[in-house]
């Protein structure tokens, strides 16, 4: 998944032949400077620009364009070059924009020659600047890295080139502008048709960097505040709708209104698997994360636009109050009403754009959810009624659902790649304003969440390739574990008491040690006969009850080292119960992904600043689907023995 950078962030480059793709709303000039180890550009021959587009290792466009592709071959760079700065500037065209703040945020993407995006960066927060250093490629210990810079210059190219250390910056800037002026007649405009609106980003976690536009009623060119790293909003003079779709998949428009049916040759309806991938499972995985990215960016754009509308209204009201002539009387009232009307208009436009995108995503979700395979599906999906034990493991598994306050009732599946790289912590602590009067109710629900996850992991792996072991020191979870024990899906009965805890932890610790030594020594065939090398999931209930210091140390070891050799952890615990250990267990909690048995907005999205609400994937009350699936899993395990 591509990295979405924020200003100042760097990222390693795994390839030396790349493309840098620039996207903007209007034609811009693209260029690059080649600097030495001290960051100095020796002269005009170290600047690639439309008048001199080719230098060793880099080639830029010969004209202003809304979209650029800069070809870079780092292996061909002279040894004296240690830094390559990629720049863009607004051409000095009559009637053209004078500052980037009046436009939607430009975006740069670093891709391989096959178009696969490595990293992207959206230039947010620009205002009076007319020239910007976008990215920087630099050498670090014989390897190349990329850094998001975003340094703007209100003095244009002259200021930028002067800051790069060029002695005749003004003369070179005039030469570049002359070369651009000769090519403006053939400059490439931005694509603005509704049927071909290009996204400027690629996926993540991350991801979650696309300009959302909200036209202003007065000038169509006011800048808007950013709603978080990589998700700017800005004004556009067209006022047309903005496409927030994920770049790796085609757009699926919202269904037509009943009173206005789409023509037979109209836009296509949403399609499940409408994404890149070698298999249907991979396409659905990419499509789901595309929906996540779209929802994140659409919501961030709306929030950003609303914040901008509020701040602009406050600024206008401050101006009214600061003028004694207008603060009283009808003139002041009219000015206040006008400011409030503009704010309301901006907010309405932003929310209308969000509603449009939510309708599109909801229509897509209604098509995608029924098509999901068992590993990705909710427990109420009919796919489980036709469940068969798979012959190979899936690429990901569903841990629950994600949503934002603005998106209810739309839910995005929370898919996590397999094998799990981190353990899971089901937090059984009672949150603030909990609907549960008794802590025991929440603990039981946390155990049910853990059992549902364990059953799902068992069900989506081939028979015999995944096992589940349980530690329940006091036997308090017997009723919750009943579906697993009753179906015979566990490798052994739940371990109870101090001796049971020590026995399970000792065996798994020994297994991790042996497999690690075999892998590191390249002697995987030398493992002891009879050692079970299948992946194991350890479910621990009521931690730290029944754990002594040695057992706690072993559990921390399994959490840190186990995932690399196929031992995974699900810990059901209230952190307050382990307060006596103090900071000793802090590394354990940090190493685990925290999930909750009730909806909770604790999952932070650092790229756009959202707090996503997580909902666990519980089995519907009264459903027998879990028992049916586990019975088939147990039968397949027995048949394989």
């Amino acid at each position: 998944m591509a990295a979405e950078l924020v200003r100042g962030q760097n990222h390693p480059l795994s390839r030396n032949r790349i493309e840098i793709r620039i996207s903007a709303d209007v034609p811009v000039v693209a260029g690059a400077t080649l600097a030495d180890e001290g960051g100095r550009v020796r002269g005009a021959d170290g600047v690639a620009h439309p008048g001199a587009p080719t230098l060793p290792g880099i080639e830029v466009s010969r004209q202003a364009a809304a979209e650029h592709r800069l070809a870079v071959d780092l292996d061909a760079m002279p040894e004296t070059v240690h830094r390559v700065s990629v720049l863009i500037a607004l051409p000095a065209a009559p009637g053209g924009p004078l500052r980037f703040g009046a436009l939607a945020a430009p975006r740069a993407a670093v891709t391989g020659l096959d178009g696969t995006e490595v990293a992207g960066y959206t230039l947010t927060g620009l205002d009076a600047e007319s020239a910007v250093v976008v990215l920087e490629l630099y050498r670090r210990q014989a390897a190349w890295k990329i850094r998001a810079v975003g340094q703007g210059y209100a003095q244009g190219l002259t200021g930028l080139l002067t800051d790069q250390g060029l002695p005749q910056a003004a003369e070179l800037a005039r030469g570049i502008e002359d070369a651009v002026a000769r090519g403006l007649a053939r400059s490439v405009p931005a694509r603005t048709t509704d049927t071909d609106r290009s996204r400027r980003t690629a996926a993540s976690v991350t991801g979650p960097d696309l300009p959302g536009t909200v036209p202003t009623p007065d000038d169509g060119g006011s800048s808007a505040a950013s709603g978080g790293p990589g998700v700017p909003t800005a004004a556009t003079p067209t006022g047309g709708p903005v496409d927030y779709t994920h770049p790796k998949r085609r757009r699926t428009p919202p269904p037509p209104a009943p009173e206005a049916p789409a023509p037979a040759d109209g836009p296509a309806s949403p399609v499940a698997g409408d994404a890149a991938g070698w298999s249907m499972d991979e396409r659905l995985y990419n499509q789901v994360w595309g929906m996540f990215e779209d929802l994140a960016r659409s919501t961030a754009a709306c929030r950003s636009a609303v914040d901008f509308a509020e701040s602009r209204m406050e600024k206008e009201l401050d101006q009214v109050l600061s003028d004694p002539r207008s603060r009283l009387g009808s003139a002041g009232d009219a000015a206040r009403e006008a400011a409030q009307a503009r704010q309301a208009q901006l907010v309405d436009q932003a929310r209308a754009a969000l509603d449009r995108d939510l309708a599109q995503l909801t229509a897509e979700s209604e098509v995608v959810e029924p098509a999901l395979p068992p590993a990705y599906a909710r427990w109420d999906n009919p796919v489980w009624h036709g469940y068969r034990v798979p012959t190979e493991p899936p690429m990901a598994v569903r841990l629950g659902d994600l949503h934002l306050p603005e998106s209810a009732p739309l839910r995005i599946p929370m898919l996590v790649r397999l094998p799990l790289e981190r353990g899971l912590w089901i937090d059984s602590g009672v949150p603030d304003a909990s609907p549960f009067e008794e802590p025991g109710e929440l603990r039981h629900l946390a155990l049910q969440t853990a059992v549902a996850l364990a059953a799902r992991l068992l069900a989506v792996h081939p028979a015999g390739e995944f096992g589940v072991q349980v530690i329940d020191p006091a036997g308090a979870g017997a009723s919750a574990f009943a579906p697993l024990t009753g179906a015979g899906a566990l490798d052994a009965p739940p371990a109870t008491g101090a001796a049971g805890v020590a026995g399970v932890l000792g065996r798994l610790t020994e297994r991790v040690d042996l497999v690690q030594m075999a892998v590191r020594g390249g002697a995987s065939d030398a493992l002891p006969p009879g050692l079970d090398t299948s992946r194991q999931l350890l479910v621990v209930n009521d931690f730290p009850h029944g754990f002594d210091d040695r057992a706690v140390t072993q559990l921390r070891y399994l959490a840190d080292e186990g995932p690399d050799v196929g031992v995974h952890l699900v810990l059901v615990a209230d952190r307050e119960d382990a307060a006596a250990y103090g900071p000793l267990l802090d590394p354990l909690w940090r190493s685990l992904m925290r999930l909750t048995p009730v909806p909770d907005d604790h999952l932070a999205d650092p790229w756009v600043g959202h707090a996503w609400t997580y909902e666990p994937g519980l089995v519907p009350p009264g459903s027998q689907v879990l028992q049916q699936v586990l019975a088939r899993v147990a039968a397949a395990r027995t048949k394989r023995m």
Side-chain angles (χ1 to χ4, degrees):
M1 188 175 292
E4 183 60 29
L5 307 180
V6 296
R7 185 173 181 178
Q9 184 181 0
N10 59 35
H11 187 74
L13 285 175
S14 59
R15 60 194 79 185
N16 286 347
R17 297 187 66 191
I18 59 175
E19 282 188 351
I20 299 177
R21 303 184 179 189
I22 307 291
S23 301
D25 267 7
V26 299
V28 297
V29 182
T33 61
L34 310 185
D36 59 17
E37 194 168 5
R40 306 284 293 184
V41 182
R42 294 304 182 185
D45 57 352
V47 182
H49 58 84
T54 304
L55 292 178
I58 190 166
E59 183 176 359
V60 304
S61 304
R62 299 175 180 270
Q63 60 193 25
E67 296 185 0
H68 290 270
R69 289 191 179 186
L70 284 64
V72 180
D73 185 354
L74 296 172
D75 290 330
M77 285 288 172
E79 293 183 0
T80 56
V81 174
H82 287 259
R83 186 178 303 171
V84 180
S85 298
V86 178
L87 60 94
I88 60 173
L90 292 171
L98 301 178
R99 59 191 183 92
F100 279 109
L103 305 169
R107 176 176 164 77
V110 180
T111 74
L113 298 184
D114 58 355
T116 302
E117 183 166 329
V118 177
Y121 173 45
T122 303
L123 284 85
T124 60
L126 298 179
D127 188 8
E129 299 89 344
S130 58
V132 185
V133 176
V134 183
L135 300 170
E136 181 180 83
L137 308 172
Y138 63 97
R139 294 185 196 260
R140 178 62 54 87
Q141 298 178 349
W144 286 89
K145 290 188 174 184
I146 185 170
R147 179 184 290 118
V149 180
Q151 177 63 53
Y153 298 84
Q155 302 83 5
L157 277 173
T158 300
L160 187 155
L161 296 174
T162 299
D163 197 40
Q164 294 277 319
L166 283 160
Q168 297 178 328
E171 181 179 344
L172 178 57
R174 285 193 297 271
I176 295 174
E177 290 169 358
D178 290 343
V180 172
R182 292 192 296 270
L184 276 178
R186 52 191 174 89
S187 63
V188 181
R191 297 197 300 261
T192 57
T193 61
D194 285 347
T195 57
D196 188 24
R197 293 188 298 269
S198 62
R199 281 293 294 268
R200 300 189 179 93
T201 64
S204 357
V205 75
T206 189
D209 50 15
L210 177 70
T213 63
V214 181
T216 59
D218 50 351
D219 60 7
S222 298
S223 62
S226 169
V231 187
T233 65
T236 175
T238 64
V242 177
D243 188 358
Y244 293 99
T245 58
H246 192 269
K248 297 296 185 185
R249 58 199 183 93
R250 297 188 295 275
R251 191 56 189 147
T252 51
E259 65 273 15
D265 57 350
S269 299
V271 176
D274 191 10
W278 290 101
S279 65
M280 189 60 175
D281 283 6
E282 185 178 2
R283 292 197 295 272
L284 287 168
Y285 173 85
N286 289 334
Q287 186 171 13
V288 166
W289 276 110
M291 294 165 63
F292 171 87
E293 296 280 351
D294 288 345
L295 179 57
R297 293 189 178 98
S298 298
T299 305
C302 179
R303 291 179 181 179
S304 176
V306 171
D307 290 343
F308 167 66
E310 295 287 347
S311 63
R312 195 179 75 164
M313 182 183 68
E314 292 176 2
K315 182 178 179 181
E316 291 175 348
L317 293 177
D318 288 342
Q319 291 174 345
V320 171
L321 294 174
S322 65
D323 188 349
R325 295 171 298 178
S326 61
R327 63 190 302 172
L328 298 175
S330 59
D333 292 340
R336 280 189 288 271
E337 290 175 1
Q340 292 168 351
R342 283 192 289 269
Q343 181 264 349
Q345 182 180 3
L346 284 175
V347 170
D348 289 344
Q349 290 172 336
R351 289 179 175 163
L354 178 61
D355 290 343
R356 182 196 70 239
D357 294 331
L358 289 178
Q360 294 172 341
L361 288 170
T362 300
E364 188 169 10
S365 176
E366 291 172 352
V367 172
V368 170
E369 277 286 358
L372 294 177
Y376 304 171
R378 289 195 296 253
W379 284 109
D380 59 358
N381 192 311
V383 72
W384 285 109
H385 296 289
Y387 167 77
R388 295 291 182 271
V389 177
T391 57
E392 59 183 30
M395 66 179 296
V397 70
R398 186 173 189 157
L399 298 185
D401 292 336
L402 299 172
H403 70 90
L404 294 169
E406 296 88 344
S407 68
L410 175 64
R411 300 293 189 267
I412 304 296
M414 181 181 176
L415 303 183
V416 176
R417 293 294 294 264
L418 292 177
L420 296 173
E421 296 180 356
R422 300 172 62 188
L424 305 175
W425 165 31
I426 313 298
D427 190 354
S428 60
V430 179
D432 296 335
S434 171
F436 298 95
E437 296 182 0
E438 297 294 335
E441 297 179 57
L442 192 63
R443 292 177 186 271
H444 184 73
L445 192 58
L447 265 182
Q448 288 182 325
T449 303
V451 169
L453 286 172
R456 180 182 293 270
L457 287 167
L458 271 172
V460 301
H461 282 84
E465 293 189 13
F466 195 91
V468 175
Q469 301 190 45
V470 172
I471 291 179
D472 186 19
S479 61
F481 289 122
L484 293 171
T485 56
L490 297 179
D491 289 353
T496 58
V501 171
V504 171
L505 292 178
R507 289 192 296 273
L508 289 177
T509 300
E510 181 183 20
R511 178 193 183 282
V512 171
D513 287 339
L514 291 173
V515 175
Q516 276 189 341
M517 287 188 292
V519 171
R520 292 170 182 172
S524 56
D525 55 347
L527 288 170
L531 180 69
D532 184 4
T533 57
S534 64
R535 292 193 172 273
Q536 297 290 317
L537 179 71
L538 174 62
V539 180
V540 179
N541 180 39
D542 207 16
F543 176 81
H545 181 80
F547 280 70
D548 56 20
D549 290 346
R550 176 180 174 80
V552 169
T553 301
Q554 289 176 319
L555 188 70
R556 289 182 54 188
Y557 176 74
L558 292 176
D560 292 338
E561 304 295 335
D564 288 340
V565 291
V567 175
H568 309 280
L569 176 65
V570 171
L571 186 65
V572 181
D574 180 357
R575 190 168 182 174
E576 291 299 320
D577 293 343
Y581 285 91
L584 177 66
L585 291 182
D586 286 352
L588 173 65
W589 305 118
R590 287 196 298 266
S591 69
L592 304 175
M593 178 187 294
R594 177 176 175 260
L595 302 177
T596 54
V598 293
D600 187 69
D601 60 347
H602 68 279
L603 292 178
D605 187 340
W607 301 118
V608 290
H610 295 331
W612 289 85
T613 296
Y614 166 80
E615 291 187 6
L618 295 171
V619 180
S623 173
Q624 296 298 311
V625 65
L626 190 65
Q627 289 80 355
Q628 295 169 5
V629 168
L630 288 175
R632 293 175 184 174
V633 170
R637 287 161 57 93
T638 303
K639 184 178 180 180
R640 186 176 180 273
M641 291 178 179

